Amino acid sequence: WVQSNAPLNTPKRLVDIGCGTGVLSIQFAKAGYEVIGVDLSDSMLTVAQNRSFENGTDITFICQSMADLEGVDEVDVAVIAIDSLNYLETLEEVEQTFKRLFASLNPNGQLFFDVHSLYKMDVIYPNGPFTYEDEEVAYLWHTEPGVEEHSIYHDITFFVRDESGYYERFEESHYQRTYSIETFTNLLAKVGFSSVNVRDDIFGKPSEEVDRWFIHAVK
């Protein structure tokens, strides 16, 4: 959706919201975009900055919440990838994020994001635990429904193999919440976005039993 087949003649300004360790930010920069990466985690941004340097890309990284976005103006494209929007705990924060991004975008600027579907949150996740194992990493992923509707708690234990062959243990806890397609699209329209389109993959129409929705809106 975001990367064209032809190189950009004039660099477009792109903000990567919830950029984490910068993997996508670097891909956007290599595609010709002028990239700003935004994330709430200082430690992840440190990794992102080092990764950007190693890849020879010039990316500006900013530590702040997406709901409090400021200092990012005249943007052509905004991206919130890999269900980062689902980490906002209230609908008010989602609306505030849309407002901040609308203000940041140039006329005809585009917003792309993906979120967990209701089916994934209400049907798939409660059927945990989930496990994975290969030669380098293994994890045990417990899930528990949250108090709020369409929310989930994740508790994940990782075992990562080091150079000596021993496994080091890491633990993470996450909370995510999603809403109906209508809730997302109505909020986007409320803050001023138009031409809102929803897909269950890059090309497919949205349906009930999918795990993720991709949403595109235009200022």
Side-chain angles (χ1 to χ4, degrees), residues 36-161:
I36 303 167
V38 177
D39 201 276
L40 192 58
S41 170
D42 268 323
S43 59
M44 284 192 174
L45 289 179
T46 298
V47 175
Q49 189 69 68
N50 292 335
R51 178 173 280 156
S52 176
F53 178 78
E54 291 169 358
N55 280 270
T57 53
D58 183 13
I59 300 172
T60 299
F61 291 103
I62 302 174
C63 185
Q64 61 181 207
S65 166
M66 67 180 80
D68 298 321
L69 183 69
E70 60 182 3
V72 179
D73 301 312
E74 298 182 349
V75 171
D76 299 297
V77 181
V79 177
I80 315 174
I82 318 175
D83 53 76
S84 294
L85 192 74
N86 291 130
Y87 283 94
L88 297 177
E89 295 187 6
T90 67
L91 191 59
E92 290 73 21
E93 288 179 308
V94 176
E95 181 176 354
Q96 185 66 17
T97 297
F98 290 161
K99 286 181 178 178
R100 297 285 179 134
L101 288 171
F102 187 85
S104 296
L105 285 165
N106 288 323
N108 298 314
Q110 300 183 69
L111 168 63
F112 299 85
F113 65 95
D114 64 89
V115 288
H116 293 314
S117 68
L118 298 183
Y119 179 76
K120 185 172 187 178
M121 200 69 79
D122 300 340
V123 178
I124 296 178
Y125 274 143
N127 283 326
F130 308 98
T131 60
Y132 175 82
E133 181 179 3
D134 63 22
E135 293 182 357
E136 302 300 326
V137 64
Y139 66 68
L140 181 60
W141 182 351
H142 290 277
T143 56
E144 181 180 347
V147 175
E148 300 293 341
E149 190 176 25
H150 314 310
S151 67
I152 204 83
Y153 289 101
H154 308 272
D155 289 305
I156 312 171
T157 303
F158 295 93
F159 300 91
V160 181
R161 188 176 183 179

